[in-house]
CSV table of all heavy atoms in Angstrom, one decimal:
chain,number,residue,atom,x,y,z
P,49,ALA,N,28.4,-62.7,53.3
P,49,ALA,CA,28.0,-61.3,53.8
P,49,ALA,C,26.8,-60.9,53.0
P,49,ALA,O,26.8,-61.0,51.8
P,49,ALA,CB,29.2,-60.4,53.6
P,50,ALA,N,25.8,-60.4,53.7
P,50,ALA,CA,24.6,-60.0,53.0
P,50,ALA,C,24.0,-58.8,53.5
P,50,ALA,O,24.1,-58.5,54.7
P,50,ALA,CB,23.6,-61.2,53.1
P,51,SER,N,23.3,-58.0,52.7
P,51,SER,CA,22.6,-56.8,53.1
P,51,SER,C,21.3,-56.8,52.3
P,51,SER,O,21.3,-57.3,51.2
P,51,SER,CB,23.4,-55.6,53.0
P,51,SER,OG,23.7,-55.3,51.6
P,52,GLY,N,20.3,-56.1,52.8
P,52,GLY,CA,19.1,-56.0,52.1
P,52,GLY,C,18.0,-56.6,53.0
P,52,GLY,O,18.2,-57.0,54.1
P,53,GLN,N,16.8,-56.7,52.4
P,53,GLN,CA,15.6,-57.3,53.1
P,53,GLN,C,15.9,-58.8,53.3
P,53,GLN,O,16.2,-59.5,52.3
P,53,GLN,CB,14.3,-57.1,52.3
P,53,GLN,CG,13.1,-57.5,53.1
P,53,GLN,CD,11.9,-57.3,52.3
P,53,GLN,OE1,11.9,-56.9,51.1
P,53,GLN,NE2,10.7,-57.5,52.9
P,54,MET,N,15.7,-59.3,54.5
P,54,MET,CA,16.0,-60.7,54.8
P,54,MET,C,14.7,-61.4,54.9
P,54,MET,O,13.7,-60.9,55.3
P,54,MET,CB,16.7,-60.8,56.1
P,54,MET,CG,18.0,-60.0,56.2
P,54,MET,SD,19.3,-60.6,55.2
P,54,MET,CE,19.9,-62.0,56.1
P,55,ILE,N,14.7,-62.7,54.5
P,55,ILE,CA,13.6,-63.6,54.8
P,55,ILE,C,14.1,-64.8,55.5
P,55,ILE,O,15.1,-65.4,55.2
P,55,ILE,CB,12.9,-64.0,53.5
P,55,ILE,CG1,11.7,-65.0,53.8
P,55,ILE,CG2,13.8,-64.6,52.5
P,55,ILE,CD1,10.8,-65.3,52.6
P,56,PHE,N,13.4,-65.2,56.6
P,56,PHE,CA,13.8,-66.3,57.4
P,56,PHE,C,12.7,-67.4,57.2
P,56,PHE,O,11.6,-67.2,57.6
P,56,PHE,CB,13.8,-65.9,58.9
P,56,PHE,CG,14.9,-64.8,59.2
P,56,PHE,CD1,14.6,-63.5,58.9
P,56,PHE,CD2,16.1,-65.2,59.7
P,56,PHE,CE1,15.6,-62.5,59.2
P,56,PHE,CE2,17.1,-64.2,59.9
P,56,PHE,CZ,16.8,-62.9,59.7
P,57,VAL,N,13.1,-68.4,56.5
P,57,VAL,CA,12.2,-69.5,56.1
P,57,VAL,C,12.2,-70.6,57.2
P,57,VAL,O,13.2,-71.1,57.5
P,57,VAL,CB,12.5,-70.0,54.7
P,57,VAL,CG1,11.5,-71.1,54.3
P,57,VAL,CG2,12.6,-68.9,53.7
P,58,SER,N,11.0,-70.8,57.7
P,58,SER,CA,10.9,-71.9,58.7
P,58,SER,C,11.3,-73.2,58.1
P,58,SER,O,11.3,-73.4,56.9
P,58,SER,CB,9.4,-72.0,59.1
P,58,SER,OG,9.0,-70.9,59.8
P,59,GLY,N,11.7,-74.2,58.9
P,59,GLY,CA,12.1,-75.5,58.5
P,59,GLY,C,11.0,-76.1,57.7
P,59,GLY,O,9.8,-76.1,58.0
P,60,GLN,N,11.4,-76.6,56.5
P,60,GLN,CA,10.5,-77.3,55.6
P,60,GLN,C,10.7,-78.8,55.7
P,60,GLN,O,11.9,-79.3,55.7
P,60,GLN,CB,10.7,-76.8,54.2
P,60,GLN,CG,10.4,-75.3,54.0
P,60,GLN,CD,8.9,-75.0,54.3
P,60,GLN,OE1,8.0,-75.6,53.7
P,60,GLN,NE2,8.7,-74.1,55.2
P,61,ILE,N,9.6,-79.6,55.8
P,61,ILE,CA,9.7,-81.0,55.8
P,61,ILE,C,9.1,-81.5,54.5
P,61,ILE,O,8.4,-80.7,53.8
P,61,ILE,CB,9.1,-81.6,57.0
P,61,ILE,CG1,7.6,-81.3,57.1
P,61,ILE,CG2,9.9,-81.2,58.3
P,61,ILE,CD1,6.9,-82.0,58.3
P,62,PRO,N,9.2,-82.8,54.1
P,62,PRO,CA,8.8,-83.3,52.8
P,62,PRO,C,7.3,-83.6,52.7
P,62,PRO,O,6.8,-84.7,52.6
P,62,PRO,CB,9.6,-84.6,52.7
P,62,PRO,CG,9.8,-85.0,54.0
P,62,PRO,CD,10.0,-83.8,54.9
P,63,LEU,N,6.5,-82.5,52.9
P,63,LEU,CA,5.1,-82.6,52.7
P,63,LEU,C,4.7,-82.2,51.3
P,63,LEU,O,5.1,-81.1,50.9
P,63,LEU,CB,4.3,-81.8,53.8
P,63,LEU,CG,4.5,-82.2,55.2
P,63,LEU,CD1,3.7,-81.2,56.1
P,63,LEU,CD2,4.1,-83.6,55.5
P,64,GLU,N,3.8,-82.9,50.7
P,64,GLU,CA,3.2,-82.5,49.4
P,64,GLU,C,2.2,-81.4,49.7
P,64,GLU,O,1.3,-81.6,50.5
P,64,GLU,CB,2.5,-83.7,48.8
P,64,GLU,CG,2.5,-83.7,47.3
P,64,GLU,CD,1.5,-82.6,46.7
P,64,GLU,OE1,0.4,-82.4,47.3
P,64,GLU,OE2,1.9,-81.9,45.8
P,65,PRO,N,2.4,-80.2,49.1
P,65,PRO,CA,1.6,-79.1,49.5
P,65,PRO,C,0.0,-79.3,49.4
P,65,PRO,O,-0.7,-78.8,50.2
P,65,PRO,CB,2.0,-77.9,48.6
P,65,PRO,CG,3.4,-78.3,48.2
P,65,PRO,CD,3.4,-79.8,48.2
P,66,SER,N,-0.4,-79.9,48.3
P,66,SER,CA,-1.8,-80.0,48.1
P,66,SER,C,-2.5,-81.0,49.0
P,66,SER,O,-3.7,-80.9,49.2
P,66,SER,CB,-2.1,-80.3,46.6
P,66,SER,OG,-1.6,-81.6,46.3
Side-chain angles (χ1 to χ4, degrees):
S51 66
Q53 184 180 10
M54 307 289 284
I55 177 172
F56 297 82
V57 181
S58 295
Q60 298 296 305
I61 62 174
L63 297 179
E64 205 292 317
S66 64

